[in-house]
Structure formats: C-alpha cells, structure tokens
Amino acid sequence: MPLPSDNNQTLLLFFHGLDSSFETDKFTCIEHHPKYCLTVNYRQGFERALKIYDALIQQKMLEYLHIILAGHSLGGWFANHFAHKYNLSVLLIAPCINPNVVLFNRAPDANDLPFPTSNDRPTKVMVEVGDEILSVKTAKRVLVDLPSSWEVQYFTGGYHRIARANEINAYIEILCGESLASK
C-alpha cells in the first residue's frame, strides 16, 4: 500500500474562509498533492456557494478514488456540511459553527445552517485557545457527544490567520492513510 504522501489518488479539497482565497496560508502550507481550493465569494450568496461546492465535489468524485476535505473558519462549516452529505473524512481548522453570525445575517436562518457532528468518518478538529472567531466555550458547547471517529484538539497560542503547518500536515497525512485503509 502506498504511503499517504505518495498517493496521488487522494485529493485534498480545501474550503477557504470568509474573504479569503486559495492563497490563504492554511491552504498553501499543505504539502499533500493533489490538492485543490476554489475561490468562492461567500458574500455573493450562501446558496450560490453551496451549489458551486456541491458541483465541484461531484466532479472531483468522478476524477479521484478518494477525497479528503479540509476547511478553515467559514470554509470549515462548508467542509463539515459536505463531509456529512458525502460521508467523507475531514479536517476542520477553527471551523465556523454559526455562519449566520459570521455573514452578518446574510445567510439563511441560522436554524437552516446546522453544524452536524454525527459523521462517522474520521474527523479532526483544530481549535485555537484565544481564537477571535471560534471560542473554546462555543466549541465545547457544540462539539460534545461525538462519534469515536472525531478528534478535537485544543491548541494554545497562535492566531486565527496564521497557519499551523506541522499540525495541519500531520492531520492530513493521518486522514489520507485512514481513507486508504477504509476502502
């Protein structure tokens, strides 16, 4: 079996945060290849972004044997949403748990945008203590009673916009290895 880093059949599909792009440090620090991040302007409409990403995932599922999702901040909400929809493994980096608040009430009703935590595929969540976007209090309130496939790691120090390259790459390698082993 190939090592995860040698496996070009596992695509890492990355979802950037609000007002960000494929140039974000969280994406550019990722060493896994192939990787892909499509820049989407979330402020042009939440439903539009969902449709764009859904079409992208369906296309990539035809091209690759395995897909791993990763997302940062608001992109973490999208990654979690699609991980649940398509039963995929995912890395959530300081995920936005309530997009309605982040989008300043431009998204549909908050009740229509749940942050599900029932995916039984391997899920890694990175939470930074002191993060100005995702508070530990919010994370501990939402990330409870998780399936055994979920791992939540709290990191001290750091900052929402600074990449944690070593940790991100380690989690991606684990997820890629688990993806290969499960098929």
Side-chain angles (χ1 to χ4, degrees), residues 102-166:
V102 173
L103 288 173
F104 311 107
N105 299 318
R106 292 186 187 138
D109 187 290
N111 294 328
D112 295 336
L113 300 173
F115 189 85
T117 57
S118 59
N119 186 2
D120 64 358
R121 297 291 299 150
T123 300
K124 310 295 183 192
V125 184
M126 298 173 65
V127 178
E128 290 185 348
V129 175
D131 190 316
E132 77 275 16
I133 304 297
L134 174 62
S135 73
V136 171
K137 182 179 176 183
T138 301
K140 288 186 175 182
R141 186 179 70 244
V142 174
L143 302 174
V144 296
D145 299 324
L146 302 171
S148 61
S149 60
W150 282 58
E151 178 185 339
V152 179
Q153 181 74 38
Y154 293 89
F155 295 91
T156 57
Y159 182 66
H160 188 76
R161 291 180 183 86
I162 295 175
R164 290 186 166 276
N166 292 338

Side-chain angles (χ1 to χ4, degrees), residues 3 5 12 18 24 38 78-79 88 91 93-94 112 117 129 144 171:
L3 295 171
S5 58
L12 175 86
L18 180 65
T24 178
L38 177 67
F78 284 104
L88 298 171
L91 169 60
I93 307 163
D112 295 336
T117 57
V129 175
V144 296
Y171 278 137

Side-chain angles (χ1 to χ4, degrees), residues 77-117:
W77 184 91
F78 284 104
N80 186 53
H81 171 80
F82 288 111
H84 279 78
K85 181 174 182 175
Y86 291 107
N87 197 35
L88 298 171
S89 298
V90 63
L91 169 60
L92 305 174
I93 307 163
C96 175
I97 290 177
N98 186 348
N100 199 41
V101 171
V102 173
L103 288 173
F104 311 107
N105 299 318
R106 292 186 187 138
D109 187 290
N111 294 328
D112 295 336
L113 300 173
F115 189 85
T117 57

